């Protein structure tokens, strides 16, 4: 579901054609381990960002959002939570659902 690479994080959606909702948080230290809500999957990875910025891309290309991490040349931890995976997989076979799959992506510098 999530893989960290140099300069990027890859997320694998459960639906092939849909519009997901993504919230991104950048923390100074590790965020709380529990987040309200029910999450299907929680995963962590690492990321090295030379520029301190991450572009957000979908299958069709870049979107207008940029994640500003605030520090250049830093190793980051990334915690990803996702909900709505089974439902979006089912609905994407029938049409183009919007807002069914939800992501919370949290970044913090490795200590």
């Amino acid at each position: 579901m999530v893989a960290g690479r140099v300069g990027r994080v890859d997320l694998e959606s459960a639906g092939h054609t849909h519009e997901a909702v993504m919230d991104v948080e950048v923390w100074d230290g590790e965020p709380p381990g529990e987040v309200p809500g029910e999450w299907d999957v929680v995963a962590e990875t690492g990321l090295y960002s030379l520029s301190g910025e991450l572009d957000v891309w979908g299958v069709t290309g870049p979107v207008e959002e940029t994640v500003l991490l605030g520090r250049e040349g830093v190793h980051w931890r990334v915690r990803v939570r996702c909900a709505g995976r089974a439902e979006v997989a089912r609905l994407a076979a029938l049409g183009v659902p919007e807002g069914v799959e939800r992501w919370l992506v949290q970044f913090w510098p490795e200590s």
Side-chain angles (χ1 to χ4, degrees), residues 8-21:
R8 73 185 220 205
V9 175
D10 295 342
L11 305 175
E12 183 178 344
S13 173
H16 60 82
T17 305
H18 70 102
E19 291 187 29
V21 174

Side-chain angles (χ1 to χ4, degrees), residues 27-104:
W27 293 72
D28 290 330
E30 184 173 357
E34 296 298 319
V35 173
E38 293 193 27
W39 301 97
D40 301 336
V41 181
V42 179
E44 282 192 22
T45 190
L47 160 76
Y48 177 75
S49 176
L50 183 62
S51 69
E53 296 182 8
L54 296 173
D55 292 330
V56 179
W57 285 61
V59 173
T60 59
V63 297
E64 295 182 22
E65 308 295 325
T66 298
V67 176
L68 302 175
L69 298 172
R71 295 189 203 168
E72 299 173 357
V74 172
H75 289 273
W76 296 86
R77 291 301 302 161
V78 184
R79 183 176 298 137
V80 178
R81 299 173 193 277
C82 188
R85 294 178 65 79
E87 185 69 358
V88 81
R90 184 182 71 76
L91 292 173
L94 305 171
V96 183
E98 294 183 22
V100 175
E101 189 176 61
R102 296 178 298 111
W103 296 80
L104 173 60

